[in-house]
C-alpha cells in the first residue's frame, strides 16, 4: 500500500510563489534545495513528523533532463497551485507493477544525505490527467519531514477533481487507504490541498 508523503505546489517563479504561499498560510517556508537531474528547486514546510509541503519551480538557467521534467512542470503556467501528491512505498518496482500505465520509470536521485528512487513519467504527466500520485521510495532513514520546523500546519484534505472520477477512485482504493483523499467528478482535472494552520484553514 502507498502512504501519502508530501504535496507539491507548482509555481512559475520560486521567489514569487514563496511570497504568495507564505501570505496565504501565514507561515514561513524553509529553504529546500536544487534537483540537478530535473533542473528544479524548492522550498519546504512541515505538515507533521512524516509529511511535508513542497513548493517547486523550474530553476532559471538550470539544464533540464533529456525528457520532460517531473510534475509536468514544462507545461505548467498560471497561478501557483497544488498540482501533484507524492506517496511513498517500500518497494517502488512492485508499486509500479500495480499502478496504471504511464505512472513512470524509476530514477535514482540524491541530494546530500537524502537518497530516493522516484517514478517519473516519460512525458512528465502522471495518469488521470496528473491526479494519480507520483511514487517515491526513500533510501535509508533520512527524510525531509522530521528536519523541518513544525509550524503547526497539517494536511487535512486532498480533493481530486476528475472527469474519470469513478475509475480514479477504484484505482486508488486498491493502492492507498487515507480518509483525507476525496475524488470528485469534474470536467477538468485539478486538485485542492486543504491545510490547517494556526490561523485557520487554507485551500491551495
Amino acid at each position: 500500500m502507498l502512504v501519502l508523503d508530501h504535496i507539491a505546489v507548482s509555481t512559475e517563479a520560486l521567489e514569487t510563489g514563496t511570497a504568495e504561499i507564505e501570505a496565504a498560510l501565514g507561515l514561513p517556508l524553509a529553504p529546500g534545495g536544487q534537483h540537478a537531474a530535473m533542473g528544479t528547486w524548492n522550498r519546504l514546510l512541515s505538515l507533521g513528523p512524516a509529511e511535508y509541503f513542497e513548493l517547486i519551480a523550474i530553476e532559471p538557467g538550470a539544464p533540464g533532463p533529456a525528457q520532460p521534467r517531473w510534475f509536468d512542470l514544462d507545461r505548467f503556467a498560471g497561478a501557483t497551485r497544488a498540482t501533484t501528491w507524492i506517496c511513498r512505498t517500500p518497494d517502488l518496482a512492485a508499486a509500479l507493477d500495480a499502478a496504471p500505465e504511464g505512472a513512470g520509470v524509476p530514477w535514482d536521485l540524491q541530494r546530500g544525505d537524502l537518497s530516493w528512487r522516484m517514478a517519473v513519467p516519460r512525458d512528465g504527466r502522471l495518469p488521470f490527467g496528473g491526479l494519480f500520485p507520483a511514487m517515491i521510495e526513500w533510501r535509508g532513514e533520512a527524510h525531509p519531514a522530521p528536519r523541518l520546523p513544525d509550524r503547526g500546519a497539517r494536511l487535512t484534505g486532498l480533493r481530486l477533481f476528475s472527469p474519470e472520477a469513478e475509475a480514479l477512485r477504484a484505482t486508488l482504493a486498491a493502492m492507498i487507504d487515507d480518509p483525507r483523499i476525496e475524488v470528485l467528478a469534474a470536467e477538468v482535472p485539478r486538485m485542492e490541498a486543504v491545510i490547517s494552520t494556526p490561523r485557520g484553514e487554507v485551500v491551495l
Side-chain angles (χ1 to χ4, degrees), residues 101-193:
E101 184 177 354
V105 296
W107 281 56
D108 291 307
L109 301 161
Q110 186 166 357
R111 185 173 69 230
D113 66 339
L114 293 171
S115 179
W116 68 99
R117 298 187 84 206
M118 186 98 175
V120 181
R122 296 186 190 277
D123 65 355
R125 180 171 292 176
L126 288 156
F128 292 100
L131 294 178
F132 188 78
M135 297 185 294
I136 189 169
E137 177 187 340
W138 290 99
R139 299 288 185 83
E141 298 299 319
H143 188 272
R147 304 177 176 197
L148 295 167
D150 191 340
R151 311 284 187 188
R154 296 292 185 269
L155 181 75
T156 57
L158 181 65
R159 302 171 187 149
L160 308 175
F161 296 86
S162 173
E164 306 170 272
E166 187 174 341
L168 176 58
R169 194 178 295 116
T171 299
L172 293 177
M175 301 189 71
I176 185 169
D177 181 15
D178 190 321
R180 295 173 296 178
I181 300 166
E182 186 178 9
V183 180
L184 302 164
E187 293 184 2
V188 178
R190 65 182 180 90
M191 72 174 58
E192 291 180 349

Side-chain angles (χ1 to χ4, degrees), residues 51-102:
E51 297 177 356
Y52 66 100
F53 168 108
E54 174 183 26
L55 178 70
I56 189 165
I58 293 173
E59 183 181 3
Q67 68 161 65
R69 291 173 173 87
W70 52 15
F71 307 159
D72 207 23
L73 279 171
D74 290 300
R75 285 181 283 218
F76 178 81
T80 300
R81 61 190 184 274
T83 55
T84 311
W85 55 303
I86 300 89
C87 290
R88 61 182 176 269
T89 173
D91 187 340
L92 183 60
L96 280 168
D97 286 342
E101 184 177 354

